[in-house]
Amino acid sequence: MFYPIMNLAIFAVLLALLVGQHRAQKSLSVRVFTGLGLGVLFGATLQLLYGVGSTTVASTLEYVNIVGSGYVSLLKMIIMPLILVSIIGAIVKVKDTSSLGKMSGSVIGILLATTAVSALIGVFVSNLFGLSADGIVQGAREMARAEDLQVRLDGLENVSFADMIRSFFPGNPFADLAGSRPTSTIAVVIFASFIGIAGVTVARTQPEMGASFERFVDVSQSIVRTLVRMVLSLTPYGILALMTKVVAGSNVSDILTLLNFVVASYVGLALILVLHLVLLAINGISPLRYLKKVSPVLLFAFTSRSSAGTIPLNIETQTKSLGNGDGEANFSASFGATMGQNGCAGLYPAMLAVMIAPTIGINPLDPSFIISLVAIVTISSFGIAGIGGGATFAALIVLSALDMPVALAGLLISIEPLIDMGRTAINVNGSMTSGTITSKWLGHTDSELFDSDRDISETVKQS
């Protein structure tokens, strides 16, 4: 136990360095990137000294992960309260219920459209790099993963698209506030929208009661947002722990074996990012200023691999840094975590389908195949949340719809964490892009706030 204790003592020193930066009033962005760098350095050192799969590394990471997983859990803790009070507050303050349809329709439309283009990008990079499922070694882990995927597919075969849509509605809002289902976030959005509309209706018929309700909502928002800032101030420590775990637990030999797929994936993800920035530029939004303001959010999404866990940081950045309306921020962050995920539900399933196609006699450049693939990817991305979400389920649905062997998706298990980091960041950026463009279209953007140097660091300082 000597070495794990020594490693944890070093980790404690690294945490103390971040505390020192906080006391020195360094900006959140500086502390976040410091945490990232220290995590990479510490994780690489652990792997270099003890090797991959070492019991010493496993024992160390078990306790290091208390900080990382604890931080992610705190973020998840505030998701539902934040969505609930923010959407109610947005509707009560705007007093324009007619814009809800335009807002949600625009957000969902942008998410689905960018997912369709992401699928085309997946087809392009897969053919560009000549990716194929042939020749990939199937070890024990790959075979076990293949069996698990087949079991999951058997459980999904009876779930129809209509079932997925029905799962969005809040039959029991209290259970959804507890996050009991994969689609709980969307259900809470719908529940909050109804409460907001009811509040506006009461205000029109009974102004005094409406004023009291609006005051109650204002107090609730202040409390929840203060809670959000308190949790976000812990971001550097969470990123230090999360990055340590990722780097120390990565198998370099597995990455090198499938390096072609890793590089192709990140080229595809980079192209999707360019797509987002082009859409912003077309709508008169500065891509460079946007990137500067959202970089802490994307960094956390990259290290945590959790779109849902990034929702609070996503919403806070959109409203307090990008100048987006409360409604657009909450709708895009909530929907973007459960549907239309450009990286997980767009790029990844398309790349797998193109890799597998030649093994079953399908030409991956056949126009009819590409059209079918893009259509299936787009439709399934809308329903992923109904059956659990994530890249694995997206791949299961797409491959099974194309009559392809789903077990082959298990061939990439050894590099899954590495590429999932980039996919999650792109998923989150897609949701923020949809919220920013929608806010611009509806005229709810605070241009002065967007053009200012204010970022998420200034918001967290207020706590």
Side-chain angles (χ1 to χ4, degrees), residues 68-82 228 231-232 235 242 300 304 306 308-313:
S69 62
Y71 174 64
V72 173
S73 295
L74 288 176
L75 281 172
K76 291 180 178 180
M77 171 190 74
I78 59 180
I79 289 174
M80 296 307 182
L82 177 60
V228 169
V231 174
L232 294 186
T235 301
L242 292 168
F300 174 73
S304 68
S306 173
T310 312
I311 287 177
L313 190 58

Side-chain angles (χ1 to χ4, degrees), residues 128-148:
L128 178 66
F129 282 81
L131 300 181
S132 174
D134 284 331
I136 299 180
V137 178
Q138 296 191 47
R141 291 178 64 200
E142 287 77 12
M143 295 296 291
R145 176 64 178 272
E147 293 177 2
D148 178 62

Side-chain angles (χ1 to χ4, degrees), residues 185-241:
T185 52
I186 296 180
V188 170
V189 168
I190 295 174
F191 178 58
S193 299
F194 273 101
I195 293 179
I197 294 171
V200 171
T201 303
V202 170
R204 289 172 181 168
T205 56
Q206 304 177 63
E208 290 185 4
M209 294 186 67
S212 297
F213 178 70
E214 187 169 349
R215 174 63 179 167
F216 170 74
V217 172
D218 286 340
V219 172
S220 299
Q221 283 185 306
S222 296
I223 293 173
V224 171
R225 285 179 175 171
T226 300
L227 178 61
V228 169
R229 296 185 193 112
M230 291 168 60
V231 174
L232 294 186
S233 67
L234 303 174
T235 301
Y237 314 106
I239 285 183
L240 167 63

Side-chain angles (χ1 to χ4, degrees), residues 152-167 383-388 397 400:
R152 292 188 183 186
L153 178 62
D154 294 340
L156 297 176
E157 288 180 340
N158 295 325
V159 179
S160 67
F161 185 72
D163 291 332
M164 296 176 188
I165 301 302
R166 281 195 293 268
S167 69
I384 291 300
I387 45 86
I397 293 176
S400 62

Side-chain angles (χ1 to χ4, degrees), residues 113-127 346-347 350 354 370-371 373-374 377:
T114 52
T115 298
V117 178
S118 298
L120 287 174
I121 290 175
V123 173
F124 170 72
V125 296
S126 296
N127 284 287
L347 180 78
V354 172
I370 295 176
I371 293 173
L373 173 61
V374 172
V377 164

